[in-house]
Amino acid sequence: MSSKRKLSASQPPQEIDGDSNVNESEDSSRSDICLICGDTARIINYGALSCQSCKTFFRRNGFRPDGVRPCNFDKCCEINMQTRHTCTACRLAKCFMMGMSSDLIRKEDTKKLKRTSSLKQSSTTDQSTSQQVTTALQLVTSDVIQGDQSSHIDSQWTLLSNIVHSHDTFSTMSQMLITVNSLPALRVEAYNNVINPIEIINQMCISMQSFISSSPDFRILTLSEQTSLFERNLHGVIAFYSTLFFRHTGILRIPEYFNAFITIYGSDIMLSLRHTIEQLDPDPTLIKIILIILAFSSNCLIVNTNKTMERDSLLDGTFRLLGSQNVYVELLWKYLISKYGYDESALRFTRLIQIFLCVIKKLAIVHTNNATHRTIFDDIADRTKQTLAINENDRTLLWGKGSID
C-alpha cells in the first residue's frame, strides 16, 4: 500500500519526496491531470502526480487509513472532481493505488522540523511551545490539541481539553464494555441482572448530568435556571449521546441487548437508531463538543414537556444562553478546520446536523407515543431536581474556560 508508483521508461530518474519540489520543465512531458480525481495537476505530491486538493486530502488521511469513514457502496466508488468529497475510503484507496506513500509525509515533516530547529537556535525568543501546524492533531485526555501560541487560541484548546476530559471522567462506557465482555461467562438466567435497558438509560443520564453540571457556564445559573435547562435539553442530549454510547460499546450488535431495548422502544425505532449509529462521524471529539452545545440549547427536544416553560425567565433572557452557545460552536468549528480543513469540515458538520435532526425527530415521536419512555424520563427529571437542590451551594468549578484541569 505504501510503495512508490513506478515511473515509465521515458521519464528520467529523480528523487520524489514530500516536498513536491519537482522541476516543472522535467514534469512537462507528463500529463497535467491528477491521477486521483482528474483535476489540474502540475507536480508530484507524496509519490503521485496530483492536484492540491488530493495532496491535502492524502496528507490529512494517509497516516490513518483505518480511521476513515468506511465506504457504503462496496468500495467501488468512482473518484473524480465532482465525487472526490463523497467517499473518503475510496479516495484514499485510489491515492495509495496511484503510488502515494505516507512515508513521504513523514519525510516532509522531518525536513520542516529540521528547518524549524535551526531557526530556533538563532532566535532569542523562546519557541519551546511551537509545533508544526501541518502535523496531524493528536487527541489525548487533557492535552487535546497542541500547536497555536496565541493566548486566545491556547485558551480555546484548553477549553476543548477540559470538555473531553470531563466527558470521559463521567462516562460509563468503560464500565459497560467490562459488562459486555463478561457476558459470555454468565449463565443465561443471570442475563436479566446485567441486560437492563432502563438501568443503562439511567446511567447515561447520570453521566450526562454530571458532565453538564461540571461546566462553569452551568454553575453560574440559578437553581431554577439549572432545572429549567435540564428539563428542556436532557432528553435531546441523552438521545444524541446514546449514538456515541451504543457505537462505542457495540451492545446493539448483541442480540440480547438489542431485543431488550426493543421491548421498550419497538423494532422500528431500534433499527432506525442502529442505522443512525452507522452513519455517525467516527471522530468522538466532535460528538462530545456537540453534547455541550446541545446542553445550552433553548430547547433541543422540540416538544414542550413543561407548560410553564413559556414563562421561563431564562428564555426571556436568551442572550445568557447565546454567550455559552457561541463559545462552544466557535470551538467546534475551529477544531474541525484545524483537523480536517475547510471542505471536509463543511461536509462533516452538515452530516452531523442531519444526524442530529434525525435523532430529534425520532425522539419527538417516541416522547409523544411511548408512555414507558415518558415515565423513565419523568423519574430521571425528578431525581435531577433533587440532585441540583442538594448541590445548589456547591460552586466548585471542575473545569473552566481559562484554567487547566
Side-chain angles (χ1 to χ4, degrees):
M1 293 290 286
S2 61
S3 60
K4 298 179 181 178
R5 178 172 59 86
K6 293 183 179 180
L7 301 178
S8 65
S10 63
Q11 295 169 343
Q14 60 186 3
E15 180 184 1
I16 302 175
D17 62 23
D19 288 331
S20 304
N21 293 326
V22 180
N23 191 298
E24 289 191 17
S25 64
E26 294 178 348
D27 199 50
S28 60
S29 62
R30 308 176 198 170
S31 170
D32 60 352
I33 300 300
C34 173
L35 295 176
I36 288 79
C37 71
D39 200 352
T40 301
R42 297 184 180 278
I43 57 178
I44 289 177
N45 297 299
Y46 307 127
L49 184 65
S50 52
C51 63
Q52 184 63 33
S53 175
C54 288
K55 172 190 174 182
T56 303
F57 169 83
F58 185 75
R59 178 175 185 81
R60 191 179 302 126
N61 297 281
F63 277 126
R64 53 179 193 278
D66 295 335
V68 302
R69 181 186 296 275
C71 176
N72 294 323
F73 301 98
D74 201 25
K75 302 180 181 179
C76 58
C77 298
E78 179 184 356
I79 303 301
N80 53 44
M81 290 176 59
Q82 287 72 39
T83 64
R84 63 190 179 189
H85 297 299
T86 302
C87 182
T88 302
C90 287
R91 187 181 185 186
L92 184 59
K94 191 171 183 180
C95 288
F96 282 120
M97 183 175 66
M98 291 296 104
M100 284 189 163
S101 170
S102 56
D103 292 338
L104 297 179
I105 303 176
R106 188 178 292 107
K107 183 176 180 181
E108 181 183 77
D109 285 342
T110 301
K111 288 185 177 182
K112 289 184 178 181
L113 186 60
K114 287 180 179 178
R115 288 198 295 267
T116 303
S117 298
S118 64
L119 290 174
K120 286 181 180 180
Q121 292 174 358
S122 61
S123 175
T124 57
T125 304
D126 182 14
Q127 301 289 339
S128 60
T129 59
S130 178
Q131 303 286 335
Q132 294 299 310
V133 296
T134 53
T135 301
L137 298 175
Q138 307 232 337
L139 296 179
V140 294
T141 302
S142 60
D143 191 15
V144 181
I145 294 185
Q146 304 170 352
D148 197 301
Q149 293 188 50
S150 159
S151 59
H152 176 64
I153 297 299
D154 186 59
S155 66
Q156 288 185 317
W157 294 159
T158 299
L159 173 60
L160 176 55
S161 174
N162 287 330
I163 291 172
V164 174
H165 179 68
S166 177
H167 173 279
D168 296 345
T169 297
F170 297 112
S171 173
T172 59
M173 290 190 289
S174 297
Q175 293 90 322
M176 190 71 242
L177 282 172
I178 294 174
T179 302
V180 169
N181 292 332
S182 66
L183 198 62
L186 297 177
R187 295 181 177 180
V188 175
E189 54 267 25
Y191 277 13
N192 290 337
N193 295 329
V194 294
I195 304 178
N196 186 337
I198 295 179
E199 180 58 26
I200 292 173
I201 294 172
N202 282 329
Q203 290 302 316
M204 284 195 288
C205 287
I206 293 172
S207 174
M208 286 297 97
Q209 176 189 324
S210 300
F211 169 54
I212 297 168
S213 296
S214 69
S215 164
D217 295 270
F218 183 81
R219 295 293 185 92
I220 62 174
L221 301 176
T222 65
L223 176 60
S224 62
E225 290 171 339
Q226 291 177 349
T227 302
S228 173
L229 206 60
F230 267 128
E231 286 180 338
R232 283 186 264 124
N233 296 327
L234 192 58
H235 301 75
V237 171
I238 295 303
F240 197 66
Y241 173 65
S242 69
T243 61
L244 177 64
F245 182 92
F246 288 135
R247 185 184 67 184
H248 183 76
T249 60
I251 63 175
L252 294 189
R253 294 192 296 269
I254 301 174
E256 292 82 1
Y257 280 101
F258 187 68
N259 292 333
F261 276 94
I262 284 179
T263 61
I264 297 177
Y265 293 102
S267 59
D268 289 345
I269 291 295
M270 293 312 301
L271 287 171
S272 175
L273 176 59
R274 194 157 65 178
H275 176 73
T276 300
I277 292 169
E278 294 172 355
Q279 306 302 315
L280 192 64
D281 194 290
D283 187 343
T285 299
L286 293 182
I287 314 303
K288 295 169 187 178
I289 305 174
I290 287 286
L291 289 172
I292 201 68
I293 293 173
L294 296 179
F296 290 92
S297 169
S298 299
N299 181 10
C300 66
L301 176 58
I302 72 172
V303 174
N304 190 347
T305 60
N306 185 350
K307 300 304 180 182
T308 64
M309 193 182 297
E310 299 173 357
R311 300 190 298 274
D312 192 332
S313 61
L314 192 57
L315 283 181
D316 293 335
T318 314
F319 66 91
R320 299 185 60 187
L321 294 180
L322 290 178
S324 299
Q325 292 170 8
N326 288 341
V327 168
Y328 296 126
V329 170
E330 181 183 10
L331 177 65
L332 172 68
W333 185 244
K334 288 192 174 181
Y335 169 76
L336 279 166
I337 291 293
S338 63
K339 188 169 183 182
Y340 300 108
Y342 180 83
D343 290 344
E344 188 172 348
S345 294
L347 290 172
R348 283 176 176 262
F349 186 74
T350 301
R351 284 195 294 264
L352 276 171
I353 296 301
Q354 290 174 335
I355 289 174
F356 174 70
L357 291 177
C358 178
V359 169
I360 290 301
K361 179 181 178 180
K362 295 294 184 182
L363 175 62
I365 295 173
V366 169
H367 189 86
T368 302
N369 301 324
N370 192 316
T372 303
H373 173 86
R374 290 197 302 272
T375 300
I376 293 172
F377 273 84
D378 286 344
D379 291 342
I380 290 171
D382 290 340
R383 289 198 300 271
T384 299
K385 292 177 183 179
Q386 296 174 10
T387 302
L388 292 176
I390 293 172
N391 298 331
E392 180 180 10
N393 296 323
D394 182 8
R395 289 292 179 263
T396 305
L397 299 184
L398 301 186
W399 55 274
K401 294 175 182 175
S403 62
I404 299 176
D405 295 317

